[in-house]
Amino acid sequence: MLLEWSSRYDHLREVTREDIIAVRDAATGKQRESRIVALRSLFRHAKKNGQIFRNPTIRIRVPRQTGGVLQALVQADIDEAIAAASTPDVRLIVALAAVHAARPKMIRTMQLEDVDLGNRRITVGGHVRPLDDLTRRAVLDWLGHRHSRWPNTANPHLLITQKTAVELGPAGKLWTTRATRNLTATLERLRVDRQLEEALTHGADPLHLALVFGIDEKTAIRYADSARALLGESVEQASQ
């Protein structure tokens, strides 16, 4: 980009907004995004050091890429994650991701008050959901372990560690994701797989997904589109 501009300009201050847009639109995908990131950094640095008077990259955006078709996990990968969940804390973490599609941050910041055992309700990321039998058993096992090990802790978070038991903050990110870190079925993949499974089971309805998981409209539509694509592939393969 700079070599091309050097054939026409003597200084960076001569580069215009139209030049930036032309460079952006000459590439696609990740390359287009990388170009804009690099140019923003370059012109921001030049303006900060007084080499240019205005930044031509201001308010130039890269159109959001449409993600590809989301893919479901195979059963062997899910079984591997379940087998790795050998302690009460990890079993609860995996259940929250695989059943309730909870993100790691949601899991580690959940409060004790987010679990309503009497009414069989659980609040995940501010969204109230029914408490299924599997997650309920995992919660009870964990609460029993937590009480026996740290009976006097004042930490209000559902999941705590040796360190946070004497504090009030949440568990760390690495502690939360450690059990599935080297597996194909990471917590993030389990979360995605759960939402995709719901889309496949209930006719790829974005409204249903938004209501069940409390996700935004764009995310729900992406899962629904992926489900329709996967269902279409299944029908095509069956007819061959």
Side-chain angles (χ1 to χ4, degrees):
M1 295 177 286
L2 295 177
L3 285 173
E4 196 277 327
W5 286 337
S6 69
S7 66
R8 293 185 284 134
Y9 302 135
D10 295 321
H11 199 281
L12 277 177
R13 68 172 66 97
E14 299 176 67
V15 176
T16 66
R17 176 181 174 84
E18 287 69 30
D19 292 322
I20 302 296
I21 292 173
V23 164
R24 179 198 67 182
D25 294 345
T28 58
K30 278 292 182 182
Q31 186 182 39
R32 177 168 57 179
E33 183 178 346
S34 297
R35 285 187 176 191
I36 292 300
V37 170
L39 288 172
R40 282 176 185 157
S41 179
L42 171 65
F43 282 99
R44 190 181 299 119
H45 177 78
K47 190 172 188 301
K48 181 180 179 182
N49 288 278
Q51 295 170 311
I52 60 174
F53 303 110
R54 59 183 178 77
N55 183 346
T57 67
I58 292 295
R59 289 186 293 278
I60 291 181
R61 298 287 181 261
V62 177
R64 186 174 180 181
Q65 298 181 51
T66 302
V69 175
L70 297 168
Q71 298 295 322
L73 289 166
V74 299
Q75 189 59 46
D77 292 331
I78 297 174
D79 292 342
E80 187 179 28
I82 293 172
S86 57
T87 58
D89 55 337
V90 177
R91 282 195 290 272
L92 177 54
I93 290 170
V94 170
L96 290 170
V99 178
H100 299 278
R103 294 180 181 275
K105 184 177 180 180
M106 293 177 182
I107 293 172
R108 66 191 185 88
T109 56
M110 283 183 67
Q111 308 278 303
L112 286 167
E113 63 184 21
D114 289 330
V115 179
D116 184 351
L117 292 171
N119 293 310
R120 296 183 72 97
R121 296 284 179 182
I122 185 169
T123 301
V124 180
H127 186 68
V128 180
R129 294 173 46 81
L131 182 60
D132 59 288
D133 289 338
L134 188 150
T135 308
R136 184 173 182 274
R137 286 196 300 272
V139 168
L140 289 172
D141 287 347
W142 162 249
L143 290 178
H145 174 79
R146 171 190 162 118
H147 180 71
S148 65
R149 187 163 184 183
W150 302 290
N152 299 315
T153 180
N155 194 312
H157 291 87
L158 175 63
L159 286 154
I160 59 175
T161 68
Q162 182 71 30
K163 180 177 182 295
T164 63
V166 294
E167 301 172 353
L168 297 177
K173 179 180 179 181
L174 293 179
W175 179 87
T176 308
T177 59
R178 72 197 188 283
T180 62
R181 191 172 300 133
N182 297 317
L183 304 180
T184 300
T186 62
L187 293 183
E188 179 62 17
R189 288 293 306 278
L190 287 169
R191 179 188 71 82
V192 170
D193 187 75
R194 172 67 184 93
Q195 294 181 159
L196 184 58
E197 176 199 33
E198 189 74 20
L200 290 167
T201 304
H202 289 83
D205 181 0
L207 179 58
H208 174 79
L209 294 174
L211 290 172
V212 170
F213 298 109
I215 55 180
D216 62 53
E217 178 183 324
K218 289 183 179 178
T219 302
I221 290 173
R222 186 187 178 199
Y223 277 98
D225 288 344
S226 292
R228 278 191 286 270
L230 293 174
L231 290 170
E233 290 177 6
S234 297
V235 171
E236 184 178 343
Q237 291 173 3
S239 63
Q240 291 178 353

